[in-house]
Amino acid sequence: MKIIDMHCDTISRIYQERTQQKNVNLRTNPFQVDLTKMNSANYLVQNFALFINLGETEDPYQTFQEQFSVFREEMKQHSDLISPVTSYSEIISNEKQQKMSALLTLEEGEVCGGSLERLKEIYDMGIRMMTFTWNYPNSLGYPAEPAPFTEIDRPVAACKEIGDLSEHGNSYQTAYSRPEKGLTRLGSEFLAEMERLGIIADVSHLSDEGIHDVCRFATRPFCASHSNARALCSRGRNLPDELIKEIAAQGGVIGINYYGPFLSDTPNNQNIFFSRIEDIARHICHISDIGGIHCIGLGSDFDGIDDNLELNNCSQMEFLAQELKKCGFCSSEIEQIFYKNVLDFYKQLL
């Protein structure tokens, strides 16, 4: 069975390891995702996110460029197994050549520094999906779960330029004093330009109000690349039923996240939020019940999450398929969840 995964942080993890002078690559590594594991599991497409933590860099765009260089280098070195894609037709072409496809995404819209010209620049570099935020408020909007204030120790210049942010001060901490807020005015302008260019809007990490704003303003389908159901796990990063319905109604897809704290509110007897396959399946069942099976995909968050996983890495997807069969899904429905829904989504948007 083919697989499309809408979100992993493997390129960013390789980048971080290399900053510590560790020799790691995408072909074979000890992480949750590498090309050898992907190939053995019959991956069709892997979305590779360039993840930028605003609390750990003084220059988000420079860090983005450095991670992009890692991605480009890895694609060149391993072109026998995988090639980058920016369109649906390239995915199909790679499949015919028995190659996997790499779709490049950006996790943190503040990399653009509030500039629509820079948004066009990252499009030209091959970015085809972008989150508005990560865990910090920025010039585009507000996150679902802000990072602890102890991590927030430097100002955001963009906050001075956006009225509904600057009224709360010029730091991440003070800017988040109204957590109910959604997209900023600039955020809505970015959404329109993303749709015009062909960058898929990704609402994972965005606040509920921000997602409501995207639902109101979007003219094209969008996604939550790695989000779960709040009815089953109360974390703010998960989607309430009303937003699952809205995303599905607009033709969007939701990638199921494998991170233990987003799957269950209850830790195990060692006080660890362990990621169990049956809990991943529970979230898939719930979203299917609420939004319909056509809105479900996979969004592992591999290499951006801890190792407390029953599904240890991307080579073990057969175990999730077996669990879904136990839940009553037939083979054609599992194919929809594993790749067909997202492939249809890409056919429409890329």
Side-chain angles (χ1 to χ4, degrees), residues 13 19 34 81 85 130 153 193 221 249 293 322 344 350:
R13 183 165 183 183
T19 63
D34 66 31
L81 289 178
V85 295
M130 186 180 83
D153 57 6
E193 183 66 4
I293 194 169
Q322 292 169 9
D344 288 344
L350 295 178

Side-chain angles (χ1 to χ4, degrees), residues 267-292:
N268 64 16
N269 54 14
Q270 282 85 41
N271 204 33
I272 294 171
F273 286 92
F274 191 75
S275 171
R276 301 184 303 169
I277 295 172
E278 66 181 87
D279 286 331
I280 298 173
R282 277 196 317 126
H283 282 261
I284 290 173
C285 290
H286 182 83
I287 292 174
S288 177
D289 289 341
I290 299 301

Side-chain angles (χ1 to χ4, degrees), residues 336-349:
Q336 284 182 267
I337 296 163
F338 270 40
Y339 81 98
K340 285 188 174 179
N341 290 339
V342 178
L343 187 61
D344 288 344
F345 178 73
Y346 288 164
K347 185 176 183 178
Q348 180 178 358
L349 297 174

Side-chain angles (χ1 to χ4, degrees), residues 47 61 67 124 160 168 171 178 225 236-237 349:
N47 287 18
Y61 189 64
Q67 292 192 22
D124 291 339
K160 301 175 183 177
H168 305 300
S171 74
R178 293 174 63 186
S225 67
R237 267 279 284 111
L349 297 174

Side-chain angles (χ1 to χ4, degrees), residues 79-296:
S79 59
D80 58 320
L81 289 178
I82 194 166
S83 290
V85 295
T86 57
S87 68
Y88 170 80
S89 62
E90 289 174 336
I91 294 171
I92 301 306
S93 177
N94 280 348
E95 183 183 20
K96 290 177 180 177
Q97 298 175 59
Q98 298 184 321
K99 284 187 181 183
M100 297 177 288
S101 292
L103 188 71
L104 189 60
T105 76
L106 174 58
E107 187 173 23
E108 178 50 75
E110 195 57 36
V111 163
C112 296
S115 166
L116 293 173
E117 290 77 15
R118 184 161 283 177
L119 182 67
K120 174 61 163 60
E121 183 178 334
I122 69 167
Y123 171 84
D124 291 339
M125 294 169 72
I127 297 291
R128 290 298 180 270
M129 183 183 292
M130 186 180 83
T131 68
F132 293 90
T133 65
W134 181 58
N135 290 346
Y136 298 106
N138 62 25
S139 63
L140 306 182
Y142 294 75
E145 292 190 355
F149 290 159
T150 54
E151 298 179 16
I152 303 169
D153 57 6
R154 65 183 187 82
V156 175
C159 292
K160 301 175 183 177
E161 301 170 8
I162 306 300
D164 55 357
L165 276 171
S166 60
E167 67 186 274
H168 305 300
N170 69 344
S171 74
Y172 288 122
Q173 181 170 352
T174 56
Y176 202 78
S177 62
R178 293 174 63 186
E180 77 279 4
K181 300 204 76 173
L183 290 183
T184 64
R185 182 174 62 252
L186 182 61
S188 66
E189 293 174 7
F190 260 67
L191 172 61
E193 183 66 4
M194 288 163 69
E195 291 187 328
R196 188 190 72 81
L197 289 170
I199 298 175
I200 298 169
D202 182 355
V203 298
S204 284
H205 286 285
L206 194 58
S207 67
D208 287 1
E209 189 59 38
I211 301 174
H212 279 296
D213 287 340
V214 175
C215 291
R216 285 193 296 138
F217 299 138
T219 62
R220 307 186 75 194
F222 55 93
C223 73
S225 67
H226 55 304
S227 296
N228 292 344
R230 196 177 299 169
L232 302 184
C233 177
S234 61
R235 291 290 294 265
R237 267 279 284 111
N238 290 340
L239 298 166
D241 287 354
E242 62 179 318
L243 287 176
I244 292 172
K245 291 177 183 177
E246 284 286 345
I247 293 169
Q250 298 198 33
V253 290
I254 299 163
I256 299 297
N257 190 315
Y258 307 167
Y259 185 38
F262 295 167
L263 291 169
S264 173
D265 286 321
T266 307
N268 64 16
N269 54 14
Q270 282 85 41
N271 204 33
I272 294 171
F273 286 92
F274 191 75
S275 171
R276 301 184 303 169
I277 295 172
E278 66 181 87
D279 286 331
I280 298 173
R282 277 196 317 126
H283 282 261
I284 290 173
C285 290
H286 182 83
I287 292 174
S288 177
D289 289 341
I290 299 301
I293 194 169
H294 291 87
C295 76
I296 307 171

